[in-house]
Amino acid sequence: MKVKSGIIFFVILITLSIYFFNPMKIQPSQTNAVQGSSTATNQEIANDVKNDFDLKLYSNKETYKSNEPIKLWANFRYNGNQEDVMIIHGGDYITSSIKQLDGWFESFGAVTQDIHTSQIKRDIVYRKEYVKSGGYSTDDPNRAFYEKFYKEKDLLLPKGTYKITANVNFNLGDLVNVDIKDSKDVPGYGIKEGKDFFIQSELTINVLD
């Protein structure tokens, strides 16, 4: 039997983490489940479908003003043959990132080392609103901007063109107990041979003065 390490996903290392998770526990994700899909007006949509799983990324519109809150969300759906499936993931299984294509701004979703499980029911849309997550270095020349950015509730971006990315990263294997001797900080769980899934959707938005 082949067992993968308890550290099952790529972890984005950041100097300052904006969100903290309770490590060393197996617990369901907090991603909200809603039936149906959004009907926002003039929305921009990006879609990726892989092996019975569907990820759609939405923006309320393609162009915003610099003082206008930006609305982003992702919908994740399983439409396979089973009534439900259990997925294994680190932190939340839906993460988002923003990268400015014509400037310096970037904000990447952080992923934790702890192992979580979520039961995904067939044909139920799991919706995740964009939540700020990421970090910055204390010597970053744009530190003042990032401090304000992460404190504000609304998503406001300066003038520019931005690539928005939503990711779903999980495994369909089974959890097993493993003896990990290299680190006391890693939970004693691994994954029996299973299939890894990485699904990604991207879209571009513009922000004007």
Side-chain angles (χ1 to χ4, degrees), residues 150-177:
Y150 285 115
K151 287 179 181 178
E152 291 177 335
K153 180 180 179 180
D154 291 332
L155 174 58
L156 300 172
L157 295 172
K159 178 182 178 181
T161 299
Y162 296 86
K163 181 175 71 173
I164 315 298
T165 304
N167 297 318
V168 174
N169 194 358
F170 61 91
N171 187 284
L172 288 179
D174 296 319
L175 285 179
V176 294
N177 291 319

Side-chain angles (χ1 to χ4, degrees), residues 16 18 66-67 104-105 132 136 142-158:
L16 175 63
I18 303 305
S66 58
N67 61 349
W104 47 267
F105 177 87
K132 295 177 183 177
Y136 53 90
N142 299 301
R143 175 180 175 179
F145 173 88
Y146 282 117
E147 288 178 343
K148 180 181 178 182
F149 172 80
Y150 285 115
K151 287 179 181 178
E152 291 177 335
K153 180 180 179 180
D154 291 332
L155 174 58
L156 300 172
L157 295 172

Side-chain angles (χ1 to χ4, degrees), residues 22-170:
N22 190 12
M24 315 312 166
K25 290 185 179 181
I26 299 176
Q27 58 187 14
S29 167
Q30 298 302 309
T31 300
N32 295 326
V34 295
Q35 294 195 21
S37 58
S38 175
T39 56
T41 303
N42 298 324
Q43 65 190 204
E44 297 297 312
I45 305 173
N47 187 37
D48 190 13
V49 180
K50 286 185 181 178
N51 299 98
D52 300 328
F53 293 95
D54 186 331
L55 176 66
K56 292 183 179 179
L57 174 61
Y58 296 84
S59 171
N60 253 9
K61 54 205 294 192
E62 183 179 5
T63 302
Y64 295 84
K65 294 181 180 179
S66 58
N67 61 349
E68 181 181 5
I70 297 169
K71 180 72 171 177
L72 304 170
W73 68 98
N75 286 349
F76 176 61
R77 182 173 65 98
Y78 165 68
N79 59 0
N81 296 324
Q82 303 181 57
E83 289 295 323
D84 55 55
V85 293
M86 185 188 77
I87 65 172
I88 305 171
H89 53 93
D92 203 346
Y93 56 87
I94 303 176
T95 60
S96 301
S97 64
I98 302 176
K99 181 175 179 60
Q100 187 175 3
L101 300 179
D102 54 357
W104 47 267
F105 177 87
E106 58 183 5
S107 177
F108 293 101
V111 180
T112 59
Q113 298 181 32
D114 49 326
I115 299 177
H116 298 247
T117 63
S118 296
Q119 206 73 17
I120 305 298
K121 296 182 179 181
R122 185 177 62 197
D123 293 330
I124 297 296
V125 176
Y126 293 81
R127 172 168 170 152
K128 175 68 180 295
E129 303 283 344
Y130 173 80
V131 177
K132 295 177 183 177
S133 176
Y136 53 90
S137 171
T138 55
D139 60 356
D140 192 309
N142 299 301
R143 175 180 175 179
F145 173 88
Y146 282 117
E147 288 178 343
K148 180 181 178 182
F149 172 80
Y150 285 115
K151 287 179 181 178
E152 291 177 335
K153 180 180 179 180
D154 291 332
L155 174 58
L156 300 172
L157 295 172
K159 178 182 178 181
T161 299
Y162 296 86
K163 181 175 71 173
I164 315 298
T165 304
N167 297 318
V168 174
N169 194 358
F170 61 91

